[in-house]
Amino acid sequence: MTTNNEFGISAIGLAIPSYGLPLQELAKIRNTDATKFIDGLGCEVMALCNSAENVVTLALKAVQRALDNWGGKLEDIGLVVAATESSIDMSRPLSSWVMQELNLKGNIRSYEVKHACYGGTVALRQALEWKISGNSKNKVALVVAADVALYAQDHSGEPTQGAGAVAFIIGEPNIASINPISYYWSESQYDFWRPVGDKYPEVNGRLSLTCYINAMLNCFTQIAPKHELQNYLQEYNYICCHVPFPKMVHKAFAKLGQFCNIDPLFVESLYLQRVYATMDWNRKIGNSYTASLWFAVANALTKMQGQQQLLAFSYGSGCGAEILTLKCVANQQVATWVRQLEQDLTQRTIIDAAHYLEIRKSYDSSL
Ligand code: COA
């Protein structure tokens, strides 16, 4: 039962697939110097699905964990929103697989959201706004962002592949509260797209970098005038960003500093302490599209104390962007959901280049 108008994250569930491919292994078969992937892009290991895993199984795993960690009753769920850009059906929403698995039915709104990597943020905002509207009738929302990011073999995007899912129960802010005020920006762009029927996306990598930076400048300069941004940013213990690959975040953050005339040394130290630090899991998972920002946010929450704040910058190609701010309620360092992910990372099977080529055959032939 909600007692005031403050809502946020009540529970978290994270999931990654069973395989991890170190970028050194990919470099071997792509005739590339591994330092390009590791230093040039900032990637370490990409998460990959085994033959029994896909976007649905990842979403279900994250959802089940969020529910177990929450401990509430299924009857208290009034909204199920799933965000993905790797949906396996053009009509049936990913949320229907979640409903099916949980045997949920009744007075529940259920749907899927698509806006490239921004979709997870839209889903979460819609859940928050549904709570604020009063139309939730004191029920909670189950939100899941899940994706499997794959490109055609030898595509320039291949080193930025990855997969994962993040699920949230949105209701009482037991873990973090979400500020109802956010800062959004969008324009029509063709930086990343997947035509109907195509297995893998196309990306204009250079354009997506420009669009990401432009969106970042337009969002951050809404929250404070350029000359005040430096002070404003220091109010946030962590600044989490959508992570297509970690180097992109570094480049964009440096451009933001330049645009606002902030001392580059200050920008670099802020980046290392408050941005880079949140990408521990992203470096080991790769791009998980809609879930990518939320892995960074979850990671930041493990490092924060009650009352500390974080800023989350979401970007999705096409393109749309939004900044959300969250306030930590309780430190999460030893929370079950953290242990679950750390265990997955330790226990997953690290595969080599030959194994990768083998599993690519089955991905590519399931066209
Ligand atoms: N050692 C260290 N760094 C190296 C290197 C080496 N041996 N060789 C190259 N590099 C650096 C390059 O200088 C470059 O860094 P810079 O941009 O700071 O100059 C970086 O590695 C990448 O090299 P580049 O030649 O630009 O790579 P690419 O053209 O093969 O592809 C992307 C890189 C990012 C364009 C591509 O991976 C991509 O499109 N990824 C998907 C992006 C995405 O998801 N966009 C949509 C969502 S925002």
Side-chain angles (χ1 to χ4, degrees):
M1 184 69 138
T2 301
T3 49
N4 59 35
N5 225 13
E6 201 177 51
F7 302 103
I9 301 170
S10 307
I12 301 179
L14 307 177
I16 56 166
S18 307
Y19 290 156
L21 176 75
L23 272 291
Q24 289 92 336
E25 291 296 313
L26 182 68
K28 283 182 194 166
I29 47 173
R30 298 298 175 229
N31 205 17
T32 305
D33 188 342
T35 55
K36 172 175 173 182
F37 298 159
I38 294 162
D39 300 332
L41 300 177
C43 306
E44 290 174 17
V45 181
M46 68 173 71
L48 292 165
C49 293
N50 68 22
S51 58
E53 292 168 326
N54 59 27
V55 69
V56 176
T57 65
L58 284 175
L60 295 179
K61 189 171 173 187
V63 160
Q64 196 52 62
R65 285 179 168 180
L67 291 172
D68 293 345
N69 297 333
W70 172 50
K73 297 194 296 287
L74 287 179
E75 306 87 85
D76 290 334
I77 295 173
L79 177 67
V80 179
V81 197
T84 186
E85 54 180 304
S86 30
S87 204
I88 59 169
D89 193 292
M90 284 297 293
S91 298
R92 193 175 198 262
L94 179 56
S95 60
S96 288
W97 272 275
V98 174
M99 301 276 289
Q100 181 183 324
E101 179 73 10
L102 300 177
N103 208 11
L104 271 179
K105 64 175 183 179
N107 301 335
I108 299 167
R109 185 184 282 164
S110 152
Y111 59 96
E112 181 180 300
V113 171
K114 180 183 74 178
H115 189 148
C117 306
Y118 173 46
T121 304
V122 178
L124 187 136
R125 277 301 309 184
Q126 288 181 334
L128 180 77
E129 288 165 15
W130 172 75
K131 287 297 300 175
I132 293 168
S133 74
N135 198 22
S136 72
K137 303 167 184 94
N138 284 325
K139 296 205 169 186
V140 302
L142 171 60
V143 175
V144 61
D147 269 301
V148 175
L150 285 173
Y151 296 86
Q153 289 200 58
D154 224 359
H155 187 283
S156 65
E158 194 181 26
T160 66
Q161 294 176 148
V166 176
F168 293 119
I169 298 292
I170 300 298
E172 290 283 335
N174 301 328
I175 294 179
S177 62
I178 306 170
N179 191 331
I181 302 299
S182 63
Y183 305 90
Y184 35 87
W185 189 83
S186 66
E187 67 175 353
S188 173
Q189 285 288 356
Y190 245 106
D191 56 330
F192 181 104
W193 65 101
R194 179 159 67 90
V196 173
D198 283 13
K199 175 115 183 155
Y200 301 120
E202 283 302 326
V203 57
N204 181 337
R206 292 283 138 204
L207 177 64
S208 76
L209 182 57
T210 309
C211 293
Y212 184 110
I213 291 170
N214 194 28
M216 184 181 259
L217 304 186
N218 277 290
C219 285
F220 276 80
T221 49
Q222 281 177 65
I223 54 179
K226 275 161 79 169
H227 65 281
E228 284 175 21
L229 196 65
Q230 176 168 354
N231 291 338
Y232 185 86
L233 290 182
Q234 289 183 86
E235 288 176 24
Y236 295 93
N237 291 72
Y238 290 99
I239 298 166
C240 307
C241 296
H242 167 53
V243 191
F245 53 95
K247 244 336 174 17
M248 186 145 165
V249 177
H250 193 192
K251 276 174 187 287
F253 205 69
K255 282 275 184 217
L256 176 67
Q258 241 173 36
F259 184 71
C260 297
N261 297 317
I262 307 175
D263 174 6
L265 289 176
F266 175 86
V267 174
E268 188 60 12
S269 105
L270 198 71
Y271 170 78
L272 288 174
Q273 288 163 26
R274 302 189 190 197
V275 186
Y276 181 85
T278 68
M279 296 191 283
D280 291 348
W281 290 337
N282 301 88
R283 282 189 288 276
K284 295 175 185 151
I285 295 170
N287 193 0
S288 53
Y289 294 157
T290 53
S292 161
L293 166 67
W294 299 101
F295 272 112
V297 168
N299 188 276
L301 287 169
T302 68
K303 301 173 161 87
M304 293 168 70
Q305 306 300 325
Q307 298 306 307
Q308 292 184 334
Q309 295 190 84
L310 71 80
L311 184 153
F313 168 71
S314 178
Y315 173 81
S317 294
C319 66
E322 188 158 346
I323 287 177
L324 271 57
T325 56
L326 284 76
K327 190 184 280 178
C328 175
V329 170
N331 175 266
Q332 297 295 310
Q333 197 180 0
V334 294
T336 309
W337 61 266
V338 182
R339 283 205 309 277
Q340 287 165 337
L341 184 73
E342 294 286 2
Q343 205 166 39
D344 285 354
L345 285 166
T346 316
Q347 292 179 352
R348 69 181 166 176
T349 305
I350 296 298
I351 62 170
D352 61 13
H355 194 160
Y356 173 67
L357 289 176
E358 204 49 48
I359 62 171
R360 277 304 311 215
K361 279 189 205 155
S362 62
Y363 291 165
D364 296 351
S365 65
S366 66
L367 282 167

